[in-house]
Amino acid sequence: MLRRVVRQSKFRHVFGQAVRNDQCYDDIRVSRVTWDSSFCAVNPKFVAIIIDASGGGAFLVLPLTKTGRIDKVYPTVCGHTGPVLDIDWCPHNDLVIASGSEDCTVMVWQIPENGLENPLSEPAVVLEGHSKRVGIVSWHPTARNVLLSAGCDNQIIIWNVGTGEAMINLEDMHPDVIFSVSWSRNGSLLCTACKDKKVRVIDPRKKKIVAEKDKAHEGARPMRAIFLADGNIFTTGFSRMSERQLALWKTDNMDEPICVQEMDTSNGVLLPFYDPDTSVVYLCGKGDSSIRYFEITDEAPFVHYLSTFSTKEPQRGMGYMPKRGLDVNKCEIARFYKLHERKCEPIIMTVPRKSDLFQDDLYPDTAGPDPALEAEEWFAGKNGGPILISLKDGYVSTKSRDLKVVKKNVLESKPVVKAENVPHVPKHAPPQPAVKMEDKLEEVLREFKSLRDRVILQDRRIARLEEQVAKVAM
């Protein structure tokens, strides 16, 4: 009997292609902060990019359609007083984004439906509880208004964003800097990678370490660990000889890995992006010019190399589009937003198919935007898997759904107040100029406050610099 040499897989011929230059986002000053986060977050409406900003921290929020050269005076989200280190879009509301910064705060922002027209310096919620810079922010996958943050004070805080309260504080579990945090599929467990070379599985509500593995990767450089859909853990790190490694672990027995593979001797940290619907993991190395992808199965060697997409330019960061933002008519299975030094370049991954029909083997039902639980239910101990949606007709974000999410959301934002006031106006009443004038005045006052804040920050900075110059002169 002949042995089958080539493993059959529908993802063996995944084809990566960068878009044309006119479909890129140009002239963006991508952040130069020395922190190993992806610097970019994407959802079906917007792409957010952390940028260099004087006198504080800022990030851009661009509608996906706003390609081409981005004006230097394009409005930013600029409320932090220190550089922004990480950003994450809320999976249940495409207008809400969280940011963590060197100023030790986490801020949650409400983005206007059509994008920013003025600089946004007033967050919907400010979450204060960390004593050192906040390097990781991550929303709960299935519960509304639950946000996790991890700081360089080695603690993890889980917040109820609706009330602005820190509900869970995990402060004695990590003796050193936390490199990565990942939620399980239903959000009942956390998986962390720490500078002490341990990978930990934590039950946050019981404040208990369920499992841990010492020296998951023996190298000193940063590790990453993510939960897979089946409950296993996928890690990337470095060997003792500084070779980049990937490994697969069972959570119920972490003594030995299911498999370990060595890749190359490059020194960039590997950022893993995982698609739970197809079990494909994409590895993007910071400073690399390639994206490698692997399929995870139940057959040895368990992690199967598929292919590599390469370009000439190294990547500074990477954004990954959720499945509901992809074009199913083009058999697109992933879309990345690659950050260069001065631009953001979308990269489209497709599986070539001859038929124009919907490919249901490529697009099983995927996690939709509706939360399975409210924050209070999750904190009370309830669990719920993601609510799945079909992509057969392409995902369409309906306005009624967005409005419903915003109204239920306890995030206090001005657009919501206006929406609630609309029904009180009789249908036949003409628009009142006084209301328009009030709106304009409010807008001018907001802009004035933003400018005043910026001037105060610059004054402080100048005073500090003058002090330093005086010391040097003495």
Side-chain angles (χ1 to χ4, degrees):
M1 187 178 151
L2 286 170
R3 187 166 160 264
R4 196 170 71 226
V5 178
V6 179
R7 189 183 70 89
Q8 285 188 336
S9 167
K10 51 183 172 277
F11 303 112
R12 268 185 57 221
H13 303 291
V14 169
F15 173 66
Q17 188 172 26
V19 300
R20 298 193 314 270
N21 271 342
D22 61 332
Q23 293 178 307
C24 295
Y25 307 86
D26 270 317
D27 214 12
I28 294 167
R29 303 181 311 281
V30 176
S31 176
R32 296 170 181 274
V33 175
T34 52
W35 184 255
D36 289 318
S37 87
S38 57
F39 290 162
C40 183
V42 197
N43 71 15
K45 283 180 190 279
F46 300 105
V47 53
I49 301 161
I50 302 174
I51 57 168
D52 258 345
S54 55
F59 58 96
L60 274 174
V61 175
L62 304 169
L64 293 184
T65 51
K66 189 167 174 54
T67 52
R69 187 177 170 278
I70 306 302
D71 203 312
K72 281 187 172 65
V73 295
Y74 191 86
T76 59
V77 180
C78 54
H80 284 287
T81 54
V84 177
L85 300 179
D86 196 20
I87 48 178
D88 192 30
W89 285 105
C90 176
H92 310 125
N93 186 343
D94 288 341
L95 303 177
V96 171
I97 187 168
S99 59
S101 163
E102 276 194 9
D103 65 10
C104 308
T105 65
V106 177
M107 292 184 181
V108 180
W109 308 86
Q110 183 99 28
I111 306 299
E113 179 78 42
N114 299 318
L116 296 175
E117 291 176 8
N118 300 300
L120 183 60
S121 59
E122 287 292 317
V125 185
V126 181
L127 306 171
E128 295 175 314
H130 288 282
S131 57
K132 290 188 180 174
R133 61 184 183 165
V134 181
I136 299 168
V137 287
S138 177
W139 291 93
H140 192 285
T142 62
R144 192 203 308 275
N145 282 353
V146 176
L147 177 67
L148 172 150
S149 63
C152 291
D153 50 6
N154 309 337
Q155 62 176 330
I156 293 171
I157 301 178
I158 301 176
W159 309 83
N160 181 344
V161 175
T163 59
E165 292 176 281
M167 304 297 286
I168 296 170
N169 199 327
L170 309 173
E171 52 188 345
D172 299 322
M173 293 184 177
H174 300 89
D176 216 324
V177 176
I178 301 162
F179 288 140
S180 77
V181 182
S182 169
W183 292 98
S184 60
R185 178 85 163 144
N186 68 354
S188 60
L189 297 172
L190 296 175
C191 153
T192 67
C194 180
K195 197 175 179 180
D196 66 354
K197 300 183 186 177
K198 283 188 181 180
V199 171
R200 295 171 175 81
V201 180
I202 299 167
D203 185 329
R205 289 168 296 190
K206 291 180 181 171
K207 297 188 178 183
K208 188 173 89 176
I209 295 173
V210 178
E212 66 180 356
K213 170 63 183 171
D214 192 16
K215 294 187 180 173
H217 296 277
E218 294 197 4
R221 290 190 55 74
M223 293 191 296
R224 285 284 184 280
I226 56 169
F227 259 117
L228 304 182
D230 58 5
N232 289 344
I233 290 171
F234 180 87
T235 61
T236 64
F238 292 79
S239 70
R240 194 182 297 165
M241 305 301 291
S242 291
E243 291 174 300
R244 292 200 290 195
Q245 291 179 322
L246 55 87
L248 195 61
W249 309 82
K250 271 197 181 306
T251 45
D252 50 6
N253 180 14
M254 293 187 75
D255 296 335
E256 288 298 321
I258 300 170
C259 79
V260 178
Q261 290 183 25
E262 274 162 8
M263 290 171 59
D264 56 26
T265 52
S266 183
N267 62 358
V269 176
L270 285 167
L271 304 176
F273 296 94
Y274 172 61
D275 179 0
D277 306 328
T278 56
S279 293
V280 175
V281 171
Y282 302 86
L283 297 184
C284 310
K286 277 203 128 181
D288 288 11
S289 52
S290 61
I291 301 171
R292 295 180 178 86
Y293 23 111
F294 299 80
E295 188 177 1
I296 297 172
T297 67
D298 298 331
E299 305 168 15
F302 305 105
V303 180
H304 305 270
Y305 171 73
L306 291 171
S307 187
T308 301
F309 168 80
S310 297
T311 54
K312 291 176 185 173
E313 296 287 322
Q315 55 228 16
R316 296 280 298 276
M318 195 69 79
Y320 179 62
M321 175 67 81
K323 212 59 177 287
R324 59 195 172 91
L326 303 180
D327 187 345
V328 296
N329 301 317
K330 292 181 181 171
C331 295
E332 187 182 1
I333 63 159
R335 192 189 311 157
F336 291 93
Y337 285 74
K338 174 180 171 179
L339 299 186
H340 298 244
E341 204 166 324
R342 298 285 298 186
K343 77 170 181 180
C344 173
E345 175 186 42
I347 293 165
I348 291 165
M349 303 281 183
T350 52
V351 176
R353 292 281 167 98
K354 288 178 182 174
S355 169
D356 289 336
L357 298 173
F358 177 72
Q359 307 294 322
D360 50 9
D361 61 327
L362 296 182
Y363 300 106
D365 288 357
T366 191
D370 293 324
L373 303 166
E374 293 299 325
E376 293 73 20
E377 293 177 297
W378 185 79
F379 286 116
K382 203 172 171 185
N383 290 324
I387 295 174
L388 304 180
I389 56 168
S390 170
L391 296 175
K392 187 160 188 177
D393 303 315
Y395 168 71
V396 179
S397 171
T398 56
K399 283 191 177 177
S400 59
R401 174 184 284 153
D402 278 355
L403 264 174
K404 190 179 85 177
V405 172
V406 173
K407 278 187 179 177
K408 277 193 178 176
N409 199 333
V410 195
L411 294 170
E412 292 171 15
S413 62
K414 280 155 191 164
V416 179
V417 176
K418 285 176 196 167
E420 286 173 357
N421 289 343
V422 169
H424 298 299
V425 180
K427 282 186 182 176
H428 60 272
Q432 295 171 14
V435 176
K436 277 191 178 178
M437 284 300 290
E438 265 181 44
D439 286 355
K440 272 196 172 174
L441 185 64
E442 211 173 287
E443 197 177 301
V444 169
L445 285 170
R446 266 207 307 273
E447 203 167 321
F448 175 74
K449 190 173 185 308
S450 163
L451 288 168
R452 192 186 64 189
D453 291 348
R454 199 167 277 190
V455 168
I456 290 167
L457 284 171
Q458 294 293 0
D459 279 351
R460 285 182 194 156
R461 193 157 175 254
I462 288 163
R464 277 204 305 274
L465 289 169
E466 281 174 348
E467 278 176 29
Q468 286 171 6
V469 168
K471 282 179 187 172
V472 170
M474 284 165 71

